[in-house]
Amino acid sequence: MKTLFLYLRFLNLITIMRNKLFCLLLFSQFVLLSQVNITGIVIDASSSQPLPFASITTEVSSYALTSVNGEFTIRCENHPVHLTISYLGYETKKLTIQSKSADKIEVRLHPKEENLSTVKIAVAENIASKVIKKAIRRKNQNNPKKALKSFSYSSYNKFKITEDNQATIETQDTTNVEIEQLLNKSHSFLSEKVSQHQYTRKSKGKETVLATRMTGFEEPIYNVLGIKIQSNSLYEEDYTIFNEKYIGPLSNRALKNYYYKILDTVQSKRPSLVVLFQPRKSKKIASLEGVLYLDIETLAIQKAILELRGELDVMATHNFKYFDSQNSWFPIDQEISIRPGKGRQKVSLFGGRISVGRLGNDKRSFTGNNDFLLSKTDLFDIRLNDRQNVKLQDASIKVDPEANNRSEEYWNKYRTSGITEKDINSFPIVDSIVKAQNIERRIDVIQSFNIGYYPVGFFDFDLTYPIKYNNFEGLRLGLGGLTNKKFSKRFRLEGYAVYGFRDKKSKFGIGGGVLLNKNSSSWLNLNYTDDLKEVGSFLYLTDRRVYSLFEPRLVNIDFYYKHRTWRTSLQHQIFPRLLSETEFSVSNIDQTGGYQFLNNGDLFSSYKTAEATIALRWSPFSKFLKTPNGIKEIHDGYPKVTAQYTQGIKGIFDSDFTYGKIGVKAQYVITRINQSRTSVLFEADLATGDVPLTHLYHAFPNAPTKETVLQRFSVAGRRTFETMFFGEFFSDRLATLQINHRIRPLKIANWLKPELVFITRYAIGDVSNPENHQGVSFDSLQQIYQESGFEINKLFAGFGLSFAYRYGAYHLPRFEDNISFKFTFYLKL
C-alpha cells in the first residue's frame, strides 16, 4: 500500500520538476504529429445495454474509460490502431482500426462464465482491495457526520416525473401509497423544495422545509417529503435509493460483496484514485456498481457515480468540495435519474419493485431512452463546525407553516438548478390532469382504507363495523365512523351502532374530541360505550390502529362480558419519539355466562370498576415529519417499546375492586438487503390485587374448540397462538415471545410470488388463587408453551396457507389436536 502512494507521489513530483522549456519542446513534438481520435460505444452483445467504465487500451499504452453511457474517445498517433477492450465478467475483445474513415465504432462484448472466488487476482486488484480496506478504516475521519462537531447548509431540490412516464410500481409497503399513485397515475409531476439542514453529533440531523410545491396538489403530499430519494452520505453501512437499502461501497461488508479495481489516477489540486466497484455475484435483484474518486492522501470521496442496471437503469451521482479550513470533503450536489433499462434484473425501490410497463389504457410499449424520473439536489451556504441549536427530541423533518405559500420571487432567489419554461408551464397543465384523474381522492381513499376507513365527504366510515360474526352474537351488522378535517380541524365526532342476530341485542358507542394543541397532536376525548368485550383481552392505548379485512379470532370467540363504560382520555405527543395517552374510565360489568368472582367471601357476577391508565410508546430510532397538520412517522425504526399501567380504584363511583395492571411490549424488526425479514415481539404482563377473570390476560389463542383439524380450519392471525384453544389458559403473570422470519419472495410467475415465513412462539405464566374464579375451568402456563410452524403467503389473490405444531410441556395426547392448518390473507391494494 505504501509503495503505491510513494509511486504516485513520485510521479507527481517529476511532473512538477519539469521546466517550462522541456514542456514546450514536448508539446511542439505532439503538435507536429498527426493525431487520431477514435470514438465508439461498448455494449452488451445480448441485451445491447451500454457497459460503463470498460477499459480501452492500445498497443502503445493509450488508455480510455467508457462513460456511464458506454461511450469513449481514445487518442492515438497513426493507423492502423490495435484496440483491446476489457470489462469485468466479459470476454476481452481485440480490434484493428485500419483508416481514418472509420465512423463511431460499436463494440459488442459477450459475457463469460467465471467464478470470481477462484479467479487469480492480479497485483493491481490486490492493491485496490488494500486501498478500500484503508478507506473503510478511515471512514470516521472522512465522514463529515463523524469528523465534524456540527454543520449546516441549505438545499434546493427538484423532483420530476416526465410526461412520457411508462413506469409502474408494485409495492407491498402501504406507507408508500403516495409515490405509488404518482408513478402509476401521473403523466408528469414536478416538485420543488428549499430546505435548511442542521446537524450535530448529539442530536443528529434536522431538516426544515422552507418552501415546497407539487404540481396538481393544493397542499403538498407530506409523506412524499419523507421519502429518502438517495443517501446524502457514502460512508454509511447501507446506501439508500428511494427508501430501498443496498450495501454501501465503503460498508464494513463491502469487500465481501464487491470487486474493486483501480482504473486510473486524476491529477488535480488534490489527486485522486479512480476505483471501480462491481458486485461479486450475479443476483436476480440489481446491485450497486460504479466508480469512486478517492483522495490519494486521505482516501476521502471526492466524487461518486453509482448505478443499478436491470429492467430499469438508476444512476446516482455525488460531487464533493474540499474545505481547507476543516481538511474535509463535503457534498455540494447530488443527482439521481431513472430510465428504462434493457436488463432482466429486478430493481427494487420504494419497498417494492418498479418495472417498465404500460400506463393506463395506452397500449404502446415504452421504447424511449430518456430519464422518466429525475431528482437533483444542490447544496449551498455550507457552514462547518458552526454552532447549531438542534434539540434531541425534534422531528427529523419540519415543514414551515408558510412553506406552501411562497412567492415566485422567493423561488427565484433560491433556485440553483435551472427550471425550464416547460417545467413552469407544467404546473397548471398537470393541475388539470391530477384533478381529471382524481389522484388526490385516490390517495385519500387508499390511505384511509389501510387503517380501516372509507371517506365520504366530511365523514370516514369505519370498515370494522358493517359485518362481523362470532359464536355469541352470531351475525353482527352495524355502521359507524368519525368526522374528518373537512368537518372541522379542531373537533371530531364519532359513533357506531350494531345489532347481534343471535343474542338479539343492540350495542352502540358515541363520543367526540377537541384538539387542544396542534403542534403536539393533543386531543381531549369523551366517550360512552355499551357493548361486549372478550374476557382476558389486554390492549395498549397507544397501539396503532390495524385493519384487516378478516378478523379471524372474532369468529371463534364465545367468552365475552358486557360493559357500559364512560371514559375520558388525553392523547399527547410529548415529543415525536414519545407518544402518551392517559385515560380514566368507569364501567358497569355483567357476565354473559355463569362466571363468578369470589372476593373476600362475596361472589360477584356483576360489578363496577374505576380505572386510571397511562400508556407510553417510545420509538427512539423512528423518523418523524412535523407538518402544519400534525406529526407523521415517516420511517419505522426499531426497537419500539410500549408500556402501560392501569390502577383499579375501589370506592370511586362505587367501584368494587382495587388492583394494578402493568404491561410492557417490545418489537424489533430486521429488514435485510436480500429482502428477508425477521421480526421479534416480546410482551410481559402482570396483574396484582383483586382482579376478576375479565381483567386477567390470555396469550391471544386462535384454535376453535372443535374435534378435527379440518373443523378448526379458519384464518390465521398476525400475532396469535394458532394451536392454543380458546379459554384454555388465563394468567395474572404472562410473558410471550414470538419470532417470525420471512425469506425473500420466490418468483414462480409474474402473478405467483409466494412468501415463506417461519414462525416460533413461546408463552409462560401463572395465576394466583384460581379457586376464586368460579363457573369456568382453565389451566395456568407454569411451564413453557411452545408452537412452531410456517406460512406460505400470497399464493392466490392475497390468500395463503398456515401450518403450526404444538410441542413441549403442553403437547396433547392426540397427535391431531396439536396441529393447526389454516389459510392466511394479506390484502394487497
Side-chain angles (χ1 to χ4, degrees):
M1 183 67 189
K2 290 182 179 178
T3 304
L4 173 67
F5 291 139
L6 289 174
Y7 175 69
L8 293 171
R9 288 177 176 174
F10 175 72
L11 289 178
N12 195 35
L13 183 62
I14 292 295
T15 303
I16 296 172
M17 291 177 62
R18 288 172 180 166
N19 57 62
K20 295 181 180 179
L21 178 60
F22 177 76
C23 292
L24 179 61
L25 292 173
L26 184 63
F27 178 74
S28 300
Q29 294 177 21
F30 277 103
V31 170
L32 296 173
L33 293 175
S34 176
Q35 284 194 341
V36 176
N37 290 338
I38 298 175
T39 62
I41 184 171
V42 180
I43 62 176
D44 182 292
S46 58
S47 67
S48 297
Q49 183 175 358
L51 298 178
F53 320 123
S55 298
I56 297 92
T57 57
T58 69
E59 59 183 357
V60 292
S61 300
S62 294
Y63 177 83
L65 194 67
T66 60
S67 68
V68 292
N69 298 320
E71 298 174 345
F72 70 90
T73 299
I74 191 167
R75 293 176 176 82
C76 307
E77 294 183 1
N78 47 46
H79 288 99
V81 178
H82 302 285
L83 299 180
T84 300
I85 301 96
S86 59
Y87 192 77
L88 182 64
Y90 288 76
E91 295 177 355
T92 298
K93 192 167 187 176
K94 294 187 177 181
L95 296 175
T96 300
I97 309 299
Q98 296 288 352
S99 67
K100 291 184 179 181
S101 61
D103 296 325
K104 182 178 180 181
I105 64 173
E106 180 181 272
V107 182
R108 307 176 75 88
L109 297 185
H110 295 271
K112 68 176 179 180
E113 299 290 334
E114 64 177 3
N115 186 347
L116 290 177
S117 61
T118 61
V119 174
K120 184 177 180 181
I121 301 176
V123 175
E125 295 161 2
N126 274 329
I127 293 175
S129 296
K130 291 179 180 178
V131 168
I132 294 300
K133 283 181 182 178
K134 188 168 183 180
I136 292 172
R137 287 197 301 268
R138 293 181 58 88
K139 278 195 304 184
N140 288 348
Q141 296 168 257
N142 292 324
N143 184 359
K145 291 184 178 180
K146 300 289 185 180
L148 303 174
K149 293 181 180 179
S150 64
F151 56 79
S152 67
Y153 60 89
S154 297
S155 68
Y156 168 78
N157 170 262
K158 182 171 72 174
F159 179 62
K160 182 178 179 181
I161 301 173
T162 62
E163 61 187 18
D164 55 0
N165 170 30
Q166 294 289 325
T168 58
I169 178 173
E170 177 184 335
T171 174
Q172 301 160 1
D173 185 354
T174 56
T175 61
N176 288 319
V177 59
E178 295 92 346
I179 196 68
E180 178 178 342
Q181 290 293 301
L182 288 177
L183 274 174
N184 292 349
K185 305 298 180 184
S186 292
H187 290 285
S188 61
F189 175 76
L190 175 66
S191 73
E192 295 182 284
K193 181 177 70 168
V194 176
S195 296
Q196 181 186 33
H197 302 257
Q198 298 168 282
Y199 180 88
T200 66
R201 286 184 194 170
K202 183 178 179 180
S203 58
K204 304 302 180 184
K206 175 185 175 181
E207 176 185 356
T208 302
V209 179
L210 302 175
T212 180
R213 66 176 177 179
M214 301 179 183
T215 50
F217 297 91
E218 294 180 3
E219 287 191 4
I221 307 173
Y222 288 113
N223 281 17
V224 173
L225 298 178
I227 292 174
K228 193 168 186 179
I229 295 176
Q230 68 182 121
S231 291
N232 53 20
S233 173
L234 289 149
Y235 295 102
E236 308 295 337
E237 280 297 291
D238 298 324
Y239 185 88
T240 301
I241 299 177
F242 289 104
N243 281 1
E244 196 72 24
K245 292 183 178 180
Y246 300 86
I247 297 174
L250 291 183
S251 162
N252 293 330
R253 302 165 287 165
L255 288 165
K256 294 180 180 180
N257 290 275
Y258 295 116
Y259 164 89
Y260 293 87
K261 181 180 179 181
I262 295 178
L263 300 176
D264 203 353
T265 59
V266 176
Q267 297 298 322
S268 60
K269 184 177 179 181
R270 294 190 65 86
S272 63
L273 295 170
V274 183
V275 182
L276 168 72
F277 69 94
Q278 291 180 297
R280 285 189 174 274
K281 298 178 182 178
S282 176
K283 298 180 179 180
K284 294 182 180 179
I285 303 297
S287 300
L288 287 180
E289 57 185 291
V291 288
L292 302 175
Y293 291 72
L294 301 179
D295 187 298
I296 287 181
E297 182 179 340
T298 65
L299 294 184
I301 299 174
Q302 297 182 359
K303 180 180 180 178
I305 303 172
L306 303 92
E307 281 198 303
L308 289 171
R309 295 189 294 120
E311 286 188 339
L312 294 175
D313 280 356
V314 182
M315 187 176 75
T317 60
H318 293 257
N319 289 299
F320 297 76
K321 177 183 176 181
Y322 184 72
F323 287 78
D324 293 280
S325 59
Q326 306 297 334
N327 189 28
S328 176
W329 287 92
F330 197 85
I332 55 171
D333 66 67
Q334 57 191 54
E335 181 177 315
I336 191 165
S337 62
I338 300 179
R339 65 174 56 187
K342 298 179 181 179
R344 296 181 179 179
Q345 289 177 311
K346 297 295 182 184
V347 175
S348 184
L349 304 174
F350 303 108
R353 292 178 182 175
I354 296 181
S355 60
V356 175
R358 296 183 178 91
L359 182 63
N361 296 320
D362 188 354
K363 302 303 181 183
R364 301 168 298 166
S365 60
F366 182 66
T367 57
N369 196 37
N370 297 322
D371 298 334
F372 62 73
L373 190 150
L374 175 69
S375 174
K376 189 174 190 308
T377 303
D378 294 312
L379 281 59
F380 57 94
D381 194 19
I382 298 170
R383 303 172 187 269
L384 307 184
N385 279 337
D386 61 335
R387 183 170 294 180
Q388 299 295 324
N389 182 22
V390 183
K391 297 179 181 179
L392 185 63
Q393 63 268 29
D394 282 349
S396 301
I397 304 175
K398 180 181 178 181
V399 181
D400 188 283
E402 296 300 316
N404 196 40
N405 302 312
R406 301 299 187 186
S407 65
E408 197 62 33
E409 290 76 17
Y410 185 96
W411 285 107
N412 291 332
K413 178 181 177 182
Y414 288 103
R415 279 190 186 120
T416 54
S417 292
I419 187 166
T420 66
E421 184 178 352
K422 183 179 179 181
D423 290 337
I424 294 293
N425 292 336
S426 74
F427 280 93
I429 294 173
V430 179
D431 282 349
S432 61
I433 294 174
V434 170
K435 289 177 182 177
Q437 296 182 351
N438 211 8
I439 293 177
E440 282 187 295
R441 168 65 179 171
R442 293 176 182 180
I443 292 174
D444 186 27
V445 169
I446 295 177
Q447 277 186 320
S448 300
F449 190 85
N450 286 331
I451 57 174
Y453 291 103
Y454 185 83
V456 178
F458 65 84
F459 194 79
D460 292 349
F461 285 92
D462 193 326
L463 300 178
T464 64
Y465 288 120
I467 181 167
K468 288 184 180 179
Y469 183 90
N470 61 67
N471 285 335
F472 182 80
E473 295 175 285
L475 183 64
R476 174 180 165 124
L477 300 180
L479 200 63
L482 74 167
T483 58
N484 55 41
K485 291 178 181 177
K486 292 181 181 178
F487 174 79
S488 172
K489 293 183 178 181
R490 299 198 63 86
F491 301 95
R492 64 187 178 198
L493 299 175
E494 58 185 316
Y496 72 92
V498 298
Y499 182 79
F501 282 84
R502 180 175 294 175
D503 66 345
K504 298 181 180 179
K505 297 289 184 181
S506 298
K507 298 91 180 174
F508 71 95
I510 190 169
V514 56
L515 180 62
L516 301 180
N517 189 314
K518 183 170 62 175
N519 292 329
S520 59
S521 298
S522 300
W523 284 86
L524 180 64
N525 307 296
L526 179 65
N527 303 84
Y528 175 76
T529 306
D530 184 348
D531 207 339
L532 299 174
K533 195 171 183 179
E534 182 188 3
V535 171
S537 58
F538 179 70
L539 302 176
Y540 293 85
L541 297 180
T542 54
D543 274 357
R544 288 176 176 173
R545 177 185 168 98
V546 177
Y547 171 67
S548 176
L549 189 61
F550 292 111
E551 296 184 69
R553 294 192 69 257
L554 296 179
V555 175
N556 299 298
I557 299 172
D558 56 7
F559 197 6
Y560 290 95
Y561 65 92
K562 301 175 183 179
H563 72 100
R564 287 164 290 141
T565 302
W566 284 96
R567 64 168 56 87
T568 181
S569 64
L570 176 64
Q571 299 168 307
H572 179 65
Q573 196 108 24
I574 299 174
F575 49 84
R577 294 177 177 86
L578 186 61
L579 175 66
S580 73
E581 184 166 348
T582 55
E583 180 183 273
F584 180 77
S585 64
V586 177
S587 300
N588 288 284
I589 295 173
D590 296 296
Q591 308 305 315
T592 60
Y595 170 71
Q596 291 182 308
F597 179 47
L598 179 63
N599 185 54
N600 295 326
D602 296 323
L603 283 172
F604 293 86
S605 59
S606 298
Y607 41 86
K608 201 169 186 179
T609 63
E611 295 181 334
T613 301
I614 181 169
L616 298 170
R617 188 181 75 203
W618 185 43
S619 307
F621 299 104
S622 292
K623 292 184 178 180
F624 294 86
L625 170 68
K626 189 173 183 179
T627 75
N629 297 331
I631 297 174
K632 296 176 178 287
E633 188 171 8
I634 56 175
H635 170 71
D636 274 336
Y638 294 95
K640 292 181 183 291
V641 181
T642 306
Q644 181 166 298
Y645 178 74
T646 299
Q647 179 64 52
I649 310 169
K650 183 177 181 179
I652 300 291
F653 295 101
D654 299 323
S655 61
D656 294 301
F657 310 122
T658 296
Y659 53 84
K661 295 176 64 178
I662 188 169
V664 178
K665 179 174 64 173
Q667 185 178 18
Y668 191 77
V669 176
I670 304 171
T671 302
R672 299 178 182 84
I673 301 291
N674 63 4
Q675 294 188 340
S676 67
R677 184 177 186 268
T678 301
S679 173
V680 180
L681 177 64
F682 173 77
E683 183 173 346
D685 305 307
L686 174 66
T688 59
D690 304 324
V691 193
L693 187 69
T694 52
H695 290 57
L696 291 185
Y697 309 107
H698 60 51
F700 287 92
N702 196 31
T705 52
K706 296 180 181 179
E707 284 294 318
T708 67
V709 174
L710 291 180
Q711 286 177 326
R712 296 192 294 269
F713 186 83
S714 59
V715 187
R718 302 293 174 90
R719 50 164 294 191
T720 54
F721 282 76
E722 301 302 327
T723 62
M724 186 183 291
F725 292 95
F726 284 93
E728 187 177 3
F729 302 100
F730 288 98
S731 307
D732 56 24
R733 287 152 285 171
L734 177 66
T736 61
L737 176 65
Q738 303 188 38
I739 304 172
N740 294 6
H741 177 70
R742 184 194 73 189
I743 65 175
R744 188 176 72 189
L746 176 64
K747 180 181 178 181
I748 299 174
N750 287 333
W751 59 271
L752 183 58
K753 301 172 186 175
E755 296 177 353
L756 180 60
V757 183
F758 297 97
I759 301 171
T760 296
R761 301 184 180 97
Y762 305 95
I764 188 170
D766 202 358
V767 61
S768 302
N769 305 315
E771 67 279 1
N772 290 345
H773 306 286
Q774 300 186 7
V776 294
S777 60
F778 59 88
D779 293 328
S780 67
L781 283 166
Q782 292 179 341
Q783 302 180 66
I784 298 178
Y785 185 98
Q786 302 172 78
E787 73 173 27
S788 295
F790 61 88
E791 295 177 354
I792 306 177
N793 297 320
K794 301 178 183 177
L795 289 172
F796 177 74
F799 289 93
L801 294 173
S802 165
F803 174 85
Y805 183 72
R806 171 173 173 165
Y807 57 96
Y810 294 99
H811 184 272
L812 298 173
R814 290 203 321 166
F815 175 77
E816 56 268 29
D817 290 339
N818 298 288
I819 295 175
S820 167
F821 177 61
K822 303 176 183 178
F823 70 84
T824 64
F825 183 78
Y826 288 84
L827 180 65
K828 180 180 176 182
L829 297 177

